[in-house]
Amino acid sequence: MTQRVVVVGGGISGLAAAHRLRTLRPELDVVLLEQRDRPGGKLATGTLAGGRVERGAESFLVGGPSAALRLAEEVGLGAEVVHPTTARAAVALDGGLRDLPAGTLMGIPLQGGETADEPAAVPLLGPGEDVSVGALVRPRRGDAVVDRYVEPLLGGVYAGRADRLSVRMALPALAAAAEHSHTLTDALREAVAGSRRAPGAPVFGAIEGGMSRFVGAVAATLPDVRCGVTVRELHRRGGGWRLTLGSTRDAEALDADGVVLAVPGRPAERLLGGLAGVEPVELEYASVALVALALPKEQAKLPELSGFLVPATEGLAVKAVTFFDQKWAHLRRPGVTVLRASVGRHGDEEQLQRTDAGLVEVVRAEVARLIGVDALPEELDRGVFRWGGALPQYQPHHQDRVRTLRAGLAAHPAIAVAGAAYDGVGIPACVTSGRAAAEAVLAQLGG
Ligand SMILES: Cc1cc2nc3c(=O)[nH]c(=O)nc-3n(C[C@H](O)[C@H](O)[C@H](O)COP(=O)(O)OP(=O)(O)OC[C@H]3O[C@@H](n4cnc5c(N)ncnc54)[C@H](O)[C@@H]3O)c2cc1C
């Protein structure tokens, strides 16, 4: 009989898992279940003033071996990957925009700083030890470096705080080097030297046509994608699994030989909670809102930058701003320019209590002040995209907790977890995670 694997969650991790399952075992019955009315999760392209705008993720890392790039190639979009222009990014400091310093790793200067980086008697991190990024960097580069550069750069990815984020998750190469380095300078040098990117090669890529095109291309390779289906329960049944779908009143059962769970931390906690010997990973999440404004190009007078980051120490609501058509040549069009600001940091969700109109107002005022104009021209169109509980906050020793979860799951038949909750927030990490989960389930199914 044909074996069935159900993938729960139609974000990029679940899509990558389902695609891998079908690629490796074309005869497998692969069912992808997604609770929303569309697959993609945090990848979603919308429209603004008649053009495209990303409502969530905008691009992915292509430097080094990028699983996202590979997936794009596998679904026929390799030639549709576009790269950003050479426009620079800035950082807002003391009320104005300044250049981001060159020669850093996530804002950490490769050498120097206001604090001495004296060689320690033992390596900076013990084997497997984990600390926050702030705990590693503050004593060796000073608070100003962390608050003004490292934190806003980390914030751009995680909406998180340097003093809470795990260095193993946020800067894995640096953490590995710190296991045998006695100064941060040595660890940074090694981490940077180890990055396998060819000089001058592009670091980021986006898909011509938008992230939803990417999602659609992966989904099109799958035999059975069901949207609007919430998985409420997961139980062992015989040598496999029974999933309960839909509302309590209209509950439906779906049996499977294997399961890939590619949902965020909280739904995963609920679904795994009843399984013997399994300790779900408890994760905090940050919420963010993105405010996109389409402005008349001539009047907008935006600086020639790809965008800028705003450290929390500036005391503003806006955390980062992207000038879309300056960053991406393929998005340029006559008469219209689009900026997208992000609001919301972990632990400071108050800013998100504003109404949509309130968010637009604060973004307009803060951006105008930072770029040095009296006011932005009236927008041609606007969009407010809210992502509640969207970005996982990996605390130190997150990887240990994930290992414990996976060890618990190994005692059950053909089940694996995947996604940003476990293996990293970036799209390539999610794709790698989904593929690995697919391979783990296939190995357990045998054949
Ligand atoms: C605003 C924003 C901007 C970002 N920008 C970038 C970027 O530019 N580059 C980058 O690399 N990364 C970016 N990220 C991060 C990246 O987009 C995410 O980490 C990644 O997309 C997560 O993918 P995922 O599949 O693990 O989870 P998700 O995208 O969250 O997908 C999980 C899916 O599971 C579904 N689900 C949940 N519970 C159930 C259930 N019980 N039954 C059925 N389905 C369920 C959800 O509806 C969701 O669709 C951004 C994130 C955000 C929020």
Side-chain angles (χ1 to χ4, degrees):
M1 224 174 68
T2 313
Q3 287 179 310
R4 175 185 292 148
V5 176
V6 174
V7 178
V8 185
I12 193 66
S13 307
L15 287 162
H19 175 75
R20 191 72 178 152
L21 287 165
R22 281 290 285 192
T23 305
L24 295 177
R25 291 270 296 277
E27 75 287 1
L28 204 64
D29 178 12
V30 176
V31 182
L32 181 87
L33 303 177
E34 165 54 46
Q35 72 179 8
R36 294 198 206 180
D37 57 1
R38 53 151 190 94
K42 274 104 195 171
L43 275 58
T45 311
T47 55
L48 194 77
R52 278 194 310 274
V53 69
E54 293 300 348
R55 302 171 67 95
E58 144 202 357
S59 60
F60 47 81
L61 275 170
V62 296
S66 164
L69 184 58
R70 189 166 157 206
L71 181 61
E73 285 162 356
E74 286 173 2
V75 298
L77 292 179
E80 308 297 315
V81 176
V82 288
H83 303 290
T85 64
T86 53
R88 289 171 305 113
V91 59
L93 290 175
D94 311 319
L97 297 184
R98 317 262 180 266
D99 284 345
L100 267 174
T104 74
L105 178 72
M106 199 53 120
I108 314 168
L110 297 192
Q111 45 199 321
E114 64 187 36
T115 314
D117 188 11
E118 298 293 341
V122 292
L124 304 182
L125 289 181
E129 186 189 349
D130 197 4
V131 297
S132 72
V133 175
L136 185 70
V137 180
R138 280 189 194 280
R140 300 175 178 93
R141 288 292 187 270
D143 291 339
V145 158
V146 174
D147 296 338
R148 289 160 79 92
Y149 303 113
V150 180
E151 178 139 305
L153 280 158
L154 284 174
V157 182
Y158 298 97
R161 311 306 293 250
D163 294 321
R164 304 199 57 184
L165 279 169
S166 149
V167 74
R168 293 259 169 207
M169 290 301 292
L171 296 165
L174 181 64
E179 282 194 1
H180 51 259
S181 302
H182 294 247
T183 65
L184 187 59
T185 304
D186 285 349
L188 285 161
R189 278 203 197 116
E190 184 182 320
V192 170
S195 85
R196 278 179 279 168
R197 194 161 13 101
V203 180
F204 288 100
I207 300 287
E208 167 72 75
M211 286 298 180
S212 286
R213 184 175 177 205
F214 189 18
V215 168
V218 183
T221 67
L222 306 177
D224 194 351
V225 178
R226 302 184 200 171
C227 292
V229 179
T230 302
V231 177
R232 283 193 303 103
E233 287 173 26
L234 179 66
H235 296 287
R236 290 277 301 272
R237 183 163 192 272
W241 297 95
R242 169 157 286 187
L243 296 95
T244 308
L245 323 178
S247 66
T248 330
R249 218 186 285 161
D250 278 329
E252 197 188 314
L254 180 66
D255 292 339
D257 302 286
V259 172
V260 173
L261 208 54
V263 297
R266 284 186 196 136
E269 254 182 76
R270 279 197 294 276
L271 290 170
L272 295 173
L275 293 183
V278 173
E279 276 180 54
V281 174
E282 284 176 27
L283 252 181
E284 288 181 29
Y285 277 78
S287 299
V288 291
L290 303 180
V291 176
L293 301 176
L295 302 170
K297 200 173 209 145
E298 293 306 310
Q299 288 123 284
K301 298 193 175 51
L302 301 180
E304 285 181 17
L305 294 169
S306 61
F308 59 85
L309 299 160
V310 187
T313 45
E314 292 294 295
L316 301 177
V318 169
K319 175 172 68 75
V321 174
T322 303
F323 300 126
F324 262 89
D325 37 321
Q326 297 190 62
K327 182 166 177 188
W328 300 101
H330 72 290
L331 293 178
R332 286 183 188 152
R333 53 198 167 116
V336 185
T337 189
V338 172
L339 71 81
R340 196 183 76 168
S342 134
V343 176
R345 292 182 175 86
H346 185 228
D348 182 21
E349 272 76 17
E350 240 170 64
Q351 299 289 357
L352 304 177
Q353 313 273 313
R354 296 169 201 261
T355 59
D356 286 4
L359 279 172
V360 169
E361 197 182 321
V362 73
V363 163
R364 288 181 56 91
E366 291 185 0
V367 171
R369 195 166 355 129
L370 288 170
I371 67 173
V373 298
D374 290 339
L376 295 178
E378 195 175 325
E379 64 266 13
L380 306 166
D381 198 0
R382 57 162 76 168
V384 176
F385 317 124
R386 292 179 189 266
W387 296 97
L391 290 159
Q393 304 297 303
Y394 311 116
Q395 291 184 23
H397 294 289
H398 172 80
Q399 289 176 332
D400 296 338
R401 290 186 274 275
V402 173
R403 264 192 292 274
T404 304
L405 164 64
R406 288 190 164 131
L409 287 175
H412 294 273
I415 184 165
V417 291
Y422 309 102
D423 300 316
V425 80
I427 295 169
C430 290
V431 172
T432 301
S433 174
R435 291 166 89 99
E439 287 165 21
V441 163
L442 286 183
Q444 290 174 71
L445 284 179

